[in-house]
Amino acid sequence: MNLQTCLPYAGREACQLCVDECHHAGYHAIEFTRVRTEVDAAGNPIEDSGFLAPVVLPDKCVGCGLCQTRCYGINVADKGLIPESAIVISAGAGKEDRQMAGSYLALREAEQAQRAAEIQSHTDRKK
Ligand code: SF4
Ligand code: SF4
């Protein structure tokens, strides 16, 4: 979460697109917290002041990226309010399974060749 650009964290306006998207998808992995609460002259917090802002619950997030797509689609592409999505989902340590370079075809062929070699060596040992 980019606290500098996320609209409620930045104090710009209310926004809960990412929260709604996550809940509608059935994941319930984003909760609200209240930020930028104002205080009265005596220093006491004013009820319902400030904004509700999103907090991702890592143990519930499945990494689908719907929240990021929604933030980008509305706040960046449609309204031009922010330069890039304020919420960015990453797979987490050891969970990235995308090819960052090269081709999947070459990877699958190499895996196939390795399996064939393993089977061959297993067969040879049995002789
Ligand atoms: S949709 Fe984007 S700007 Fe809106 S609350 Fe979520 S992260 Fe912040
Ligand atoms: S990536 Fe995580 S937080 Fe975002 S919509 Fe999917 S489950 Fe929810």
Side-chain angles (χ1 to χ4, degrees):
M1 187 74 60
N2 186 330
L3 306 187
Q4 266 72 50
T5 58
C6 174
L7 297 168
Y9 277 110
R12 290 177 63 186
E13 59 183 74
C15 178
Q16 60 179 80
L17 292 170
C18 56
V19 183
D20 291 346
E21 194 74 5
C22 187
H23 283 242
H24 288 153
Y27 297 124
H28 310 288
I30 313 182
E31 283 187 345
F32 284 118
T33 187
R34 188 164 285 278
V35 297
R36 296 184 170 267
T37 304
E38 292 165 20
V39 293
D40 60 22
N44 298 314
I46 301 171
E47 201 175 343
D48 293 335
S49 65
F51 296 100
L52 291 174
V55 178
V56 176
L57 307 174
D59 54 329
K60 289 192 176 176
C61 175
V62 299
C64 68
L66 286 169
C67 51
Q68 185 174 336
T69 302
R70 188 82 174 139
C71 185
Y72 178 84
I74 301 297
N75 292 328
V76 180
D78 277 5
K79 297 185 175 174
L81 291 171
I82 46 180
E84 56 195 27
S85 173
I87 185 166
V88 177
I89 299 300
S90 63
K95 291 186 175 173
E96 178 62 78
D97 65 355
R98 284 179 299 176
Q99 276 273 89
M100 301 314 280
S103 88
Y104 280 101
L105 197 57
L107 178 66
R108 297 286 100 86
E109 282 169 355
E111 287 170 353
Q112 209 169 8
Q114 189 182 351
R115 269 198 302 276
E118 283 167 6
I119 291 168
Q120 186 62 48
S121 106
H122 188 67
T123 312
D124 290 346
R125 276 206 304 273
K126 280 182 158 178
K127 283 180 185 170

